[in-house]
Amino acid sequence: MLNINIVLIGFMGSGKTLTSRELAKIFKRRTFSTDDLIQKKEKMKIKVIFEKKGEAYFRQQETKAVAQLAKKKNIIIDTGGGIVLNPLNIKRLQKTGILIYLKTSPEWILKRVSLNKKRPLMQVENPMARIKQLLKQRRDLYEKADLTVDTDAKTPKQTAKEIYALLNCHHYECCK
Ligand code: S3P
Protein backbone atom coordinates (compact mmCIF):
# COMPACT_ATOMS: atom_id res chain seq x y z
CA MET A 1 0.00 0.00 0.00
CA LEU A 2 3.01 2.24 0.42
CA ASN A 3 3.00 3.46 -3.18
CA ILE A 4 -0.72 3.87 -3.48
CA ASN A 5 -1.97 7.02 -5.18
CA ILE A 6 -4.31 9.41 -3.41
CA VAL A 7 -7.10 10.28 -5.84
CA LEU A 8 -9.52 13.16 -5.21
CA ILE A 9 -12.93 12.96 -6.84
CA GLY A 10 -15.94 15.24 -6.44
CA PHE A 11 -18.03 17.94 -8.02
CA MET A 12 -16.67 21.20 -9.43
CA GLY A 13 -15.95 23.54 -6.55
CA SER A 14 -15.46 20.78 -4.01
CA GLY A 15 -11.87 21.95 -3.54
CA LYS A 16 -10.00 19.11 -5.26
CA THR A 17 -7.23 21.23 -6.76
CA LEU A 18 -6.39 23.29 -3.68
CA THR A 19 -6.72 20.29 -1.37
CA SER A 20 -4.40 18.25 -3.61
CA ARG A 21 -1.76 20.96 -3.21
CA GLU A 22 -2.09 20.83 0.57
CA LEU A 23 -1.88 17.02 0.48
CA ALA A 24 1.24 17.25 -1.66
CA LYS A 25 2.90 19.29 1.10
CA ILE A 26 1.77 16.94 3.89
CA PHE A 27 2.69 13.71 2.12
CA LYS A 28 5.71 15.14 0.27
CA ARG A 29 4.36 13.82 -3.00
CA ARG A 30 3.78 15.33 -6.41
CA THR A 31 0.30 16.25 -7.52
CA PHE A 32 -1.07 15.84 -11.04
CA SER A 33 -4.34 17.12 -12.46
CA THR A 34 -6.25 15.46 -15.30
CA ASP A 35 -7.45 18.90 -16.48
CA ASP A 36 -3.88 20.28 -16.54
CA LEU A 37 -2.64 17.30 -18.50
CA ILE A 38 -5.38 17.76 -21.11
CA GLN A 39 -4.77 21.51 -21.35
CA LYS A 40 -1.04 20.99 -21.88
CA LYS A 41 -1.57 18.31 -24.51
CA GLU A 42 -4.22 20.25 -26.40
CA LYS A 43 -2.52 23.63 -25.83
CA MET A 44 -5.97 25.03 -25.03
CA LYS A 45 -7.95 25.92 -21.93
CA ILE A 46 -10.71 23.48 -20.95
CA LYS A 47 -13.34 26.08 -21.84
CA VAL A 48 -11.93 26.42 -25.37
CA ILE A 49 -11.71 22.63 -25.83
CA PHE A 50 -15.42 22.40 -24.97
CA GLU A 51 -16.23 25.20 -27.42
CA LYS A 52 -14.08 24.03 -30.32
CA LYS A 53 -14.11 20.25 -30.00
CA GLY A 54 -17.10 19.49 -27.80
CA GLU A 55 -17.64 17.67 -24.53
CA ALA A 56 -17.40 14.16 -26.05
CA TYR A 57 -13.87 14.91 -27.30
CA PHE A 58 -12.93 16.32 -23.89
CA ARG A 59 -14.19 13.13 -22.18
CA GLN A 60 -12.01 11.00 -24.51
CA GLN A 61 -8.98 13.07 -23.58
CA GLU A 62 -9.93 12.76 -19.92
CA THR A 63 -9.91 8.96 -20.17
CA LYS A 64 -6.46 9.09 -21.81
CA ALA A 65 -5.20 11.36 -19.01
CA VAL A 66 -6.51 8.91 -16.39
CA ALA A 67 -4.82 5.98 -18.12
CA GLN A 68 -1.52 7.90 -18.06
CA LEU A 69 -1.75 9.02 -14.43
CA ALA A 70 -3.02 5.70 -13.07
CA LYS A 71 0.28 4.14 -14.20
CA LYS A 72 2.24 6.36 -11.83
CA LYS A 73 2.91 5.54 -8.20
CA ASN A 74 3.00 7.52 -5.02
CA ILE A 75 1.26 10.62 -6.39
CA ILE A 76 -1.80 12.72 -5.65
CA ILE A 77 -4.33 12.87 -8.50
CA ASP A 78 -6.70 15.82 -8.83
CA THR A 79 -9.50 14.73 -11.19
CA GLY A 80 -12.09 16.74 -13.13
CA GLY A 81 -15.62 16.60 -11.70
CA GLY A 82 -16.91 14.45 -14.56
CA ILE A 83 -14.29 11.71 -14.24
CA VAL A 84 -16.82 9.35 -12.63
CA LEU A 85 -19.03 9.37 -15.75
CA ASN A 86 -16.88 6.70 -17.40
CA PRO A 87 -16.67 3.51 -15.28
CA LEU A 88 -13.34 2.69 -16.95
CA ASN A 89 -11.80 5.79 -15.36
CA ILE A 90 -12.88 4.65 -11.91
CA LYS A 91 -11.64 1.12 -12.50
CA ARG A 92 -8.23 2.37 -13.56
CA LEU A 93 -7.89 4.86 -10.72
CA GLN A 94 -8.96 2.26 -8.15
CA LYS A 95 -6.33 -0.18 -9.33
CA THR A 96 -3.47 2.02 -8.18
CA GLY A 97 -5.10 4.44 -5.79
CA ILE A 98 -7.42 5.14 -2.93
CA LEU A 99 -10.38 7.26 -4.00
CA ILE A 100 -11.48 10.09 -1.75
CA TYR A 101 -14.76 11.85 -2.41
CA LEU A 102 -14.80 15.53 -1.47
CA LYS A 103 -18.47 15.95 -0.70
CA THR A 104 -19.94 19.43 -0.98
CA SER A 105 -23.49 20.80 -0.76
CA PRO A 106 -25.01 22.66 -3.75
CA GLU A 107 -24.92 25.90 -1.72
CA TRP A 108 -21.18 25.66 -1.11
CA ILE A 109 -20.51 24.56 -4.67
CA LEU A 110 -22.33 27.65 -5.94
CA LYS A 111 -20.34 29.92 -3.62
CA ARG A 112 -17.08 28.50 -4.94
CA VAL A 113 -17.82 28.15 -8.65
CA SER A 114 -19.39 31.57 -9.05
CA LEU A 115 -15.96 33.03 -8.34
CA ASN A 116 -14.66 32.19 -11.81
CA LYS A 117 -15.79 31.76 -15.40
CA LYS A 118 -13.46 28.98 -16.48
CA ARG A 119 -15.97 26.13 -16.11
CA PRO A 120 -17.94 25.60 -19.33
CA LEU A 121 -20.71 23.55 -17.69
CA MET A 122 -21.43 26.36 -15.24
CA GLN A 123 -21.90 29.12 -17.83
CA VAL A 124 -25.69 28.93 -17.68
CA GLU A 125 -28.47 31.25 -16.60
CA ASN A 126 -29.35 29.23 -13.53
CA PRO A 127 -26.17 27.66 -12.12
CA MET A 128 -27.97 26.29 -9.02
CA ALA A 129 -30.39 24.28 -11.19
CA ARG A 130 -27.43 22.96 -13.21
CA ILE A 131 -25.52 21.98 -10.05
CA LYS A 132 -28.54 20.09 -8.70
CA GLN A 133 -29.18 18.36 -12.03
CA LEU A 134 -25.56 17.22 -12.44
CA LEU A 135 -25.28 16.19 -8.79
CA LYS A 136 -28.37 14.03 -9.17
CA GLN A 137 -26.69 12.21 -12.08
CA ARG A 138 -23.34 11.86 -10.36
CA ARG A 139 -23.95 11.51 -6.62
CA ASP A 140 -24.14 7.70 -6.61
CA LEU A 141 -20.97 7.52 -8.69
CA TYR A 142 -19.02 9.74 -6.29
CA GLU A 143 -20.30 7.67 -3.37
CA LYS A 144 -18.37 4.67 -4.72
CA ALA A 145 -15.16 6.23 -3.35
CA ASP A 146 -13.23 4.46 -0.58
CA LEU A 147 -13.53 7.44 1.75
CA THR A 148 -15.71 10.54 1.92
CA VAL A 149 -14.81 13.92 3.41
CA ASP A 150 -17.29 16.75 3.78
CA THR A 151 -15.79 20.03 2.56
CA ASP A 152 -18.57 22.51 3.37
CA ALA A 153 -17.20 25.56 5.18
CA LYS A 154 -13.71 24.07 5.30
CA THR A 155 -10.47 25.43 3.93
CA PRO A 156 -8.40 23.14 1.67
CA LYS A 157 -5.87 22.92 4.50
CA GLN A 158 -8.51 21.67 6.93
CA THR A 159 -9.78 19.14 4.39
CA ALA A 160 -6.24 17.90 3.72
CA LYS A 161 -5.57 17.47 7.46
CA GLU A 162 -8.79 15.50 7.79
CA ILE A 163 -7.76 13.23 4.92
CA TYR A 164 -4.36 12.71 6.52
CA ALA A 165 -6.00 11.66 9.79
CA LEU A 166 -8.44 9.37 8.01
CA LEU A 167 -5.75 7.64 6.00
CA ASN A 168 -3.65 7.19 9.12
CA CYS A 169 -6.39 5.62 11.16
CA HIS A 170 -7.46 3.42 8.27
CA HIS A 171 -3.92 2.04 8.19
CA TYR A 172 -3.52 2.86 4.52
CA GLU A 173 0.14 3.52 5.23
CA CYS A 174 0.23 6.44 2.81
CA CYS A 175 1.61 8.47 5.68
CA LYS A 176 4.80 6.52 6.18
C1 S3P B 1 -16.06 19.19 -15.27
C2 S3P B 1 -15.25 19.63 -14.24
C3 S3P B 1 -14.06 20.46 -14.48
C4 S3P B 1 -13.48 20.19 -15.87
C5 S3P B 1 -14.53 20.38 -16.91
C6 S3P B 1 -15.74 19.45 -16.70
C7 S3P B 1 -17.28 18.40 -14.94
O1 S3P B 1 -13.07 20.18 -13.48
O2 S3P B 1 -12.95 18.89 -15.94
O3 S3P B 1 -14.93 21.72 -16.89
O4 S3P B 1 -17.84 17.76 -15.84
O5 S3P B 1 -17.67 18.37 -13.75
P1 S3P B 1 -13.19 20.69 -11.94
O6 S3P B 1 -14.01 19.66 -11.22
O7 S3P B 1 -11.78 20.70 -11.46
O8 S3P B 1 -13.82 22.04 -11.96
Side-chain angles (χ1 to χ4, degrees):
M1 282 265 194
L2 213 56
N3 288 323
I4 200 163
N5 295 330
I6 299 171
V7 184
L8 300 184
I9 66 168
F11 204 79
M12 293 171 262
S14 57
K16 299 181 296 283
T17 304
L18 295 178
T19 303
S20 76
R21 289 182 194 151
E22 294 299 333
L23 286 172
K25 285 188 231 164
I26 297 176
F27 288 100
K28 297 187 177 59
R29 290 179 177 205
R30 291 184 71 190
T31 181
F32 292 86
S33 135
T34 53
D35 277 358
D36 278 356
L37 215 62
I38 298 167
Q39 292 185 131
K40 274 185 198 140
K41 194 169 157 247
E42 295 291 312
K43 299 188 180 67
M44 267 185 260
K45 294 280 177 205
I46 301 293
K47 204 173 163 220
V48 181
I49 301 174
F50 268 70
E51 281 162 11
K52 294 208 164 155
K53 303 200 166 181
E55 182 172 348
Y57 178 84
F58 171 78
R59 297 296 173 204
Q60 284 170 9
Q61 301 315 305
E62 203 170 38
T63 294
K64 285 185 189 165
V66 165
Q68 198 178 326
L69 292 182
K71 281 190 198 138
K72 294 183 183 284
K73 285 181 179 168
N74 216 15
I75 59 165
I76 320 270
I77 305 179
D78 160 28
T79 64
I83 216 87
V84 292
L85 295 171
N86 183 346
L88 180 62
N89 292 341
I90 296 304
K91 208 172 141 198
R92 283 179 173 153
L93 290 166
Q94 268 170 339
K95 237 181 185 173
T96 50
I98 176 162
L99 267 59
I100 303 174
Y101 170 31
L102 301 192
K103 189 174 180 175
T104 311
S105 67
E107 291 70 25
W108 275 93
I109 289 171
L110 185 66
K111 267 187 214 187
R112 295 187 188 138
V113 299
S114 54
L115 292 177
N116 77 54
K117 298 264 169 268
K118 68 171 190 177
R119 294 182 172 96
L121 296 177
M122 285 295 117
Q123 307 316 305
V124 288
E125 226 169 81
N126 187 344
M128 187 48 131
R130 171 57 65 87
I131 290 168
K132 286 187 174 162
Q133 173 217 350
L134 290 176
L135 263 181
K136 204 171 158 197
Q137 286 170 3
R138 298 177 179 181
R139 192 171 282 125
D140 289 352
L141 303 170
Y142 292 137
E143 301 279 356
K144 287 184 181 159
D146 301 291
L147 297 171
T148 297
V149 175
D150 209 307
T151 80
D152 281 7
K154 284 179 198 156
T155 63
K157 203 172 201 155
Q158 285 171 322
T159 304
K161 278 186 183 166
E162 210 171 297
I163 291 171
Y164 177 79
L166 267 174
L167 290 175
N168 239 343
C169 75
H170 278 77
H171 306 291
Y172 284 110
E173 297 189 32
C174 307
C175 317
K176 288 183 182 162

